[in-house]
Amino acid sequence: MKHNRYADKKILVYGAGVIGSIFAGKLFKSGLDTVILARGNRFREIKENGLILKNVLTGKAETYALACIDELKENDIYDYIIVAVQNNHIDAILPVLAKNKSKNIVFVVNNPLGYEKYITAVGKERIMLGFPCAGGERKEGVVHYFIGKGIARIIQTTTFGELDGGDSARLDTLLGIFSKAGFEPVKSRNMDAWQKTHVAFVVPAACAMYRFNSNNYKLARSPSTIRLMLRAIREGFRALEAKGIPVEPAKLRYYYAPLFLMTAFFQLVFATRIAEYAMAKHTITGKDEIKILNEQFLSLCAESPLTEWKKLCSFR
């Protein structure tokens, strides 16, 4: 293994779902002292069999014998705690993080409503923010995964930032750690706008999937549904912009390109295994989270009618 200049850093990945497992496995493989926190049956799986990742594009499987814990204690100190859980689980975790003494807590959590409860729980100075370009599914103890590279980065890129949008040595180190692990991360100077923008397109995309029972290949054959999805996303972007929140990253303004071009583009995108594992699989396991994100976004943008959005995103 090549020398890793970040090898002295101790990392805890809090959460052993798909994203947490991908993070932990790849960070461990890169030579970092990496620990993963899991619960229940997932904890037993990792303790007994190791953390198993299988690349959905190459079919290659790897097993990582990294440390696994089921409880974060007050004096368990890490250089970075990376919180990789669904939005609907964060409230139960914040009191645990509040008691822990680690200095850097990286929230990799869908969140369109801002960070006041994070600040209240753990203190503003400890908070960092991020989001992955990765996905997959966990099946029989194995995480079948995809990490976005190349053209997939048009849609989303693994991104990290400080709460205030500034530069810092700890952010540069975090970016270096994830770069070494193969994620090709970038820095955002406005993670709050980034996360609001993310919800503005991920919720309509998920709701379009739900019309076809999360079958992305069937969605690819429905240009009318894709057009509705795109109109809903544009409504979401405009609702954010009306509140003074920019589309972040700015490259996502390509959603305003002519509708017929965007429809054709997403027909191609949805007809791929990348879409299956980076998008469709999450809509199955993350439906409760998508419902909550839909409610949160509608609350955030209550002044906007969001007609097309509501036509597409109706949960019963």
Side-chain angles (χ1 to χ4, degrees), residues 72-83:
L72 176 61
K73 297 179 181 178
E74 182 175 337
N75 292 314
D76 291 343
I77 306 302
Y78 299 89
D79 292 290
Y80 295 91
I81 295 177
I82 299 167
V83 183

Side-chain angles (χ1 to χ4, degrees), residues 151 155 216-217 219-230 234 254-255 257-272 275:
I151 195 169
I155 297 175
N216 55 290
Y217 301 103
L219 174 57
R221 298 192 293 271
S222 178
S224 61
T225 306
I226 294 173
R227 284 193 293 271
L228 177 58
M229 178 196 81
L230 291 166
R234 292 176 181 186
Y254 69 72
Y255 276 96
L259 196 61
F260 76 94
L261 289 177
M262 292 299 295
T263 301
F265 171 71
F266 274 99
Q267 283 190 273
L268 293 173
V269 168
F270 287 141
T272 65

Side-chain angles (χ1 to χ4, degrees), residues 96-110:
V96 178
L97 296 172
K99 294 178 181 178
N100 184 264
K101 306 299 186 197
S102 300
K103 292 183 178 180
N104 304 313
I105 303 175
V106 188
F107 289 92
V108 184
V109 182
N110 271 309

Side-chain angles (χ1 to χ4, degrees), residues 12-13 15-17 21 35-51 64 66-72 138 141:
L12 172 66
V13 179
S21 296
V35 179
I36 190 167
L37 188 148
R39 298 281 174 79
N41 186 58
R42 184 64 177 145
F43 172 75
R44 291 188 290 274
E45 285 178 345
I46 296 172
K47 291 290 284 186
E48 293 173 6
N49 304 315
L51 178 65
Y64 306 111
L66 78 170
C68 184
I69 61 174
D70 62 356
E71 179 184 9
L72 176 61
R138 196 175 81 235

Side-chain angles (χ1 to χ4, degrees), residues 83-280:
V83 183
V85 300
Q86 292 185 4
N87 174 287
N88 45 320
H89 297 157
I90 193 65
D91 287 346
I93 292 170
L94 286 174
V96 178
L97 296 172
K99 294 178 181 178
N100 184 264
K101 306 299 186 197
S102 300
K103 292 183 178 180
N104 304 313
I105 303 175
V106 188
F107 289 92
V108 184
V109 182
N110 271 309
N111 179 9
L113 295 183
Y115 310 109
E116 285 306 313
K117 65 181 179 182
Y118 296 3
I119 294 169
T120 299
V122 307
K124 186 175 183 179
E125 71 285 349
R126 293 206 286 165
I127 295 171
M128 302 179 76
L129 305 164
F131 214 80
C133 178
E137 70 171 339
R138 196 175 81 235
K139 189 175 181 180
E140 297 179 353
V142 178
V143 173
H144 302 258
Y145 78 97
F146 164 80
I147 296 175
K149 297 182 180 182
I151 195 169
R153 288 160 55 89
I154 294 174
I155 297 175
Q156 189 166 310
T157 306
T158 298
T159 306
F160 295 100
E162 288 284 5
L163 188 62
D164 64 2
D167 296 315
S168 67
R170 68 176 184 173
L171 177 57
D172 289 341
T173 298
L174 184 66
L175 291 165
I177 284 170
F178 273 84
S179 180
K180 182 73 175 177
F183 288 90
E184 301 180 8
V186 298
K187 180 190 303 183
S188 173
R189 296 195 178 278
N190 192 343
M191 280 301 299
D192 182 53
W194 193 103
Q195 292 207 310
K196 287 175 168 63
T197 302
H198 178 71
V199 171
F201 70 79
V202 77
V203 171
C207 290
M209 294 274 187
Y210 291 142
R211 290 198 167 194
F212 299 92
N213 295 316
S214 295
N215 186 319
N216 55 290
Y217 301 103
K218 290 184 178 179
L219 174 57
R221 298 192 293 271
S222 178
S224 61
T225 306
I226 294 173
R227 284 193 293 271
L228 177 58
M229 178 196 81
L230 291 166
R231 291 195 298 268
I233 291 169
R234 292 176 181 186
E235 276 189 339
F237 284 3
R238 292 190 181 103
L240 291 176
E241 291 172 322
K243 295 178 69 68
I245 301 165
V247 172
E248 168 68 17
K251 69 181 182 182
L252 292 183
R253 295 186 66 82
Y254 69 72
Y255 276 96
Y256 290 129
L259 196 61
F260 76 94
L261 289 177
M262 292 299 295
T263 301
F265 171 71
F266 274 99
Q267 283 190 273
L268 293 173
V269 168
F270 287 141
T272 65
R273 292 196 75 199
I274 293 173
E276 179 183 355
Y277 282 89
M279 301 183 208

